């Protein structure tokens, strides 16, 4: 397993994949540790998260640089990602005791009835490369707090990040079997899911990967949570504050080099402000600096791999062939590394690639619509439903439109983002289940009904 810097093509490190025997030993450690970890008081488990948060902040520059080198994230965004991981650890350290507390329910006068929240056991997390720390910690923090133990199958191009996460949790006091990285190929995932010692699976990734994992887990009757792709609409109404909206639009499309499931991808703009929005948007996208992700001045780094850039460019070419116009960018940059420039397409046919597929890079499809009603129709005309945003000066109108979106995470005058305090996840082909907040910690627990009848012991 090789870690390669996408900016330079330099091989950073190689890692031996785990053998079947090593995977078996890891699963056995997970089972053994679960028996003890679940019995620790929740406050003690949360203490590990507090220590992990401190270590993450101490090492934020180191881990931010690691992400820049492994998958091309601009360094400041990498450091910010590590800080966000510290936040989710602190959030669950503070809230998990309350979220896992027994829920007493009134029933019969002579009975005590409650719902307890009990861990399931070893949970497998299949995680992507685009947010190599955050995606893992938003799984690890609630599950470790709940008393589960974690097994991480990370993307094959970020093995260094995977091992760094295991290291920081171990240094924070998590026992060896509480969180383990499995350096295995995607082809070995099915056998891990099928193993009786694994009790549940969560995946963040492509729709294709989600279907495969869900099929295998379904045969084994194991709980799954899937966070899959997105083609998020960014709806601009006629009363939107254009200057501020454009600033947010650029960030929404190009953060993480445009490689984000919840990036704004389809910019649906009402006709009366279309020209002004487009002119400002193209100018702002053109002003972005594309370059070395380790340079603090860089806004957009390389795509994570050459093949990913080629797939993105193919989507652009197919859309242009279908009738879209290139207002900015549209060709890979002539330099070493898989650099794709900020790109804006206009006159986008609604059945073209950039309107129907997830574009995983800094390519924006700008779509003109006559009015709000059509904007909502276009926004919902997708097989995906992860996030959506609407931009307007009328907050009541904005909330009404947000409620009309067919998506899991809907924002008014803010781009879509994940936040430990609110549930995160999608509908339609963007997956099911929720991460973060109270909903996230309850996904992989047994919500057990306990009924204690006092009738036989009453005088």
């Amino acid at each position: 397993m090789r870690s390669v810097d996408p900016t330079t093509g330099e091989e950073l490190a190689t890692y031996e994949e785990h053998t079947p025997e090593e995977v078996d030993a890891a699963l056995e450690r997970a089972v053994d540790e679960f028996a003890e970890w679940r019995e620790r008081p929740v406050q003690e488990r949360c203490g590990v998260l507090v220590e992990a948060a401190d270590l993450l902040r101490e090492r934020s520059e180191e881990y931010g640089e690691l992400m820049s080198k492994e998958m091309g994230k601009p360094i400041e965004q990498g450091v910010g990602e590590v800080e966000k991981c510290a936040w989710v650890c602190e959030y669950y350290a503070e809230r998990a005791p309350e979220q896992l507390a027994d829920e007493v329910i009134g029933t019969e006068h002579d009975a005590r009835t409650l719902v307890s929240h009990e861990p399931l056991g070893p949970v497998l997390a299949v995680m992507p490369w685009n947010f190599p720390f955050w995606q893992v910690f938003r799984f690890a923090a609630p599950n470790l707090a709940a008393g589960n133990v974690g097994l991480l199958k990370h993307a094959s191009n970020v093995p260094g990040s995977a091992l760094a996460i295991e290291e920081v949790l171990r240094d924070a006091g998590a026992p060896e079997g509480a969180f383990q990285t499995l350096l295995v190929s995607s082809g070995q995932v099915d056998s891990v899911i099928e193993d009786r010692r694994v009790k549940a699976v969560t995946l963040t990734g492509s729709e294709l990967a989600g279907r495969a994992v869900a099929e295998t887990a379904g045969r084994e009757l194991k709980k799954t949570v899937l966070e899959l792709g997105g083609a998020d609409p960014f709806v601009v109404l006629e009363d939107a504050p254009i200057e501020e909206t454009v600033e947010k639009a650029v960030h929404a499309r190009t953060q993480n080099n445009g490689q984000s499931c919840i990036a704004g991808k389809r910019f649906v703009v009402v006709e009366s402000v279309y020209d002004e929005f487009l002119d400002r948007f193209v100018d702002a996208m053109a002003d972005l600096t594309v370059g070395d992700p380790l340079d603090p001045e860089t806004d957009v780094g390389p795509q994570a791999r050459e093949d990913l850039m080629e797939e993105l460019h193919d989507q652009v070419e197919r859309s242009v062939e279908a009738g879209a116009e290139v207002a900015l960018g549209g060709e890979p940059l002539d330099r070493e590394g898989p650099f794709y420039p900020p790109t804006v397409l206009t006159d986008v046919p609604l059945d073209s690639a950039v309107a129907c597929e997830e574009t995983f890079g800094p390519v924006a499809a700008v779509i003109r619509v006559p009015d709000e009603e059509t904007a909502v129709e276009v926004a919902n005309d997708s097989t995906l439903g992860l996030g959506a945003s609407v931009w307007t000066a009328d907050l009541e109108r904005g909330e009404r439109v947000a409620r009309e979106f067919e998506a899991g995470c809907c924002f008014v005058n803010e781009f879509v983002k994940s936040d430990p305090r609110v549930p995160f996840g999608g509908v339609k082909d963007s997956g099911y289940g929720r991460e973060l907040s109270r909903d996230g910690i309850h996904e992989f627990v047994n919500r057990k009904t306990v009924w204690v009848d006092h009738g036989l012991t009453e005088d």
Side-chain angles (χ1 to χ4, degrees):
M1 194 170 288
R2 300 167 65 238
S3 176
V4 177
D5 187 335
T7 305
T8 64
E10 174 191 358
E11 184 176 283
L12 302 171
T14 58
Y15 303 84
E16 291 295 325
E17 290 192 19
H18 287 147
T19 65
E21 293 75 20
E22 289 171 324
V23 171
D24 182 74
L27 291 171
E28 202 59 33
R29 279 193 298 273
V31 170
D32 291 344
E33 183 54 49
F34 173 63
E36 297 185 14
W37 183 251
R38 67 175 300 173
E39 296 302 324
R40 292 197 186 191
V42 64
Q43 290 81 2
E44 186 176 327
R45 299 195 298 261
C46 289
V48 171
L49 298 181
V50 172
E51 182 62 25
D54 290 342
L55 292 174
L56 285 165
R57 290 201 171 94
E58 289 175 13
R59 303 172 186 178
S60 62
E61 292 286 343
E62 173 190 349
Y63 292 153
E65 182 176 334
L66 174 61
M67 284 185 272
S68 293
K69 289 182 175 180
E70 282 202 312
M71 50 71 63
K73 185 189 302 289
I75 182 67
E76 289 189 359
Q77 294 180 28
V79 172
E81 181 172 331
V82 179
E83 293 282 347
K84 192 170 183 179
C85 294
W87 180 24
V88 78
C89 287
E90 290 173 339
Y91 171 83
Y92 279 109
E94 177 184 354
R95 298 298 182 87
E98 170 197 342
Q99 293 166 343
L100 297 169
D102 291 345
E103 179 186 350
V104 178
I105 301 174
T107 52
E108 304 293 337
H109 74 279
D110 57 354
R112 170 176 163 79
T113 48
L114 58 90
V115 175
S116 66
H117 303 91
E118 302 179 7
L120 299 180
V123 180
L124 173 66
V126 182
M127 292 288 116
W129 50 263
N130 57 328
F131 290 93
F133 271 67
W134 170 243
Q135 306 277 18
V136 176
F137 270 96
R138 74 185 192 192
F139 152 75
N143 278 282
L144 289 174
N148 292 316
V149 297
L151 297 158
L152 171 63
K153 190 286 179 215
H154 217 327
S156 59
N157 60 330
V158 289
S161 294
L163 293 172
I165 292 167
E166 182 180 290
E167 175 188 55
V168 78
L169 288 169
R170 193 77 51 80
D171 290 349
E176 182 181 4
F179 188 91
Q180 301 174 83
T181 287
L182 303 179
L183 294 179
V184 298
S185 68
S186 297
Q188 295 170 272
V189 169
D190 275 1
S191 63
V192 178
I193 296 173
E194 291 167 347
D195 193 287
R196 60 177 176 77
R197 291 167 289 190
V198 172
K199 302 304 180 184
V201 188
T202 182
L203 174 139
T204 297
S206 69
E207 179 187 337
L208 182 64
R211 290 183 185 276
V213 164
E215 181 179 359
T216 303
R219 287 198 305 269
E220 303 298 321
L221 295 179
K222 294 180 180 180
K223 175 70 182 291
T224 54
V225 168
L226 303 180
E227 192 267 277
L228 309 179
D232 290 8
F234 186 109
V235 173
V236 183
L237 300 180
E238 71 278 359
D239 60 347
I242 294 299
E243 183 176 351
E244 295 85 351
T245 299
V246 166
E247 181 181 346
K248 294 282 191 175
V250 171
H251 185 86
R253 179 57 280 195
T254 60
Q255 183 189 28
N256 202 45
N257 305 335
Q259 299 168 129
S260 170
C261 296
I262 53 173
K265 298 184 176 79
R266 296 179 295 137
F267 294 81
V268 183
V269 186
V270 169
E271 188 164 17
S272 60
V273 293
Y274 177 89
D275 290 338
E276 182 183 2
F277 174 86
L278 180 61
D279 289 345
R280 288 175 177 265
F281 185 53
V282 169
D283 288 346
M285 291 280 276
D287 283 342
L288 296 174
T289 299
V290 180
D292 183 351
L294 292 175
D295 183 344
E297 299 302 314
T298 292
D299 299 305
V300 178
Q303 301 299 279
R305 299 194 310 264
E306 185 76 27
D307 62 304
L308 297 171
M309 185 191 73
E310 291 171 354
E311 290 175 15
L312 180 68
H313 186 50
D314 177 66
Q315 290 174 307
V316 171
E317 289 187 311
R318 286 189 283 121
S319 299
V320 171
E321 289 173 4
E325 296 289 334
V326 178
L328 180 71
E331 293 285 345
L333 295 179
D334 185 16
R335 64 171 72 172
E336 182 182 13
F339 285 90
Y340 206 84
T343 294
V344 180
L345 301 184
T346 63
D347 299 321
V348 175
L350 296 181
D351 59 353
S352 64
V354 296
C356 297
E357 302 171 9
E358 178 174 31
T359 49
F360 222 59
V363 173
V366 185
I367 301 168
R368 185 198 304 259
V369 293
D371 51 34
E372 174 193 308
E373 181 180 0
T374 310
V376 173
E377 290 176 0
V378 170
N380 289 337
D381 185 20
S382 173
T383 60
L384 299 168
L386 187 54
S389 64
V390 59
W391 302 78
T392 173
D394 185 338
L395 299 184
E396 290 186 6
R397 181 190 193 189
E399 183 173 337
R400 175 175 51 76
V401 170
R403 290 176 180 274
E404 294 174 2
F405 287 143
E406 296 171 359
C409 305
C410 301
F411 286 67
V412 179
N413 294 346
E414 181 60 286
F415 51 77
V416 181
K417 57 187 177 181
S418 56
D419 183 306
R421 299 166 294 187
V422 293
F424 180 83
V427 296
K428 299 194 279 190
D429 289 352
S430 289
Y432 52 75
R434 291 295 179 265
E435 298 177 286
L436 302 175
S437 191
R438 177 184 294 270
D439 296 58
I441 201 170
H442 286 172
E443 285 286 5
F444 293 123
V445 297
N446 176 14
R447 284 168 280 190
K448 179 188 291 184
T449 296
V450 178
W451 185 300
V452 182
D453 199 299
H454 296 174
L456 292 179
T457 60
E458 290 182 352
D459 294 334

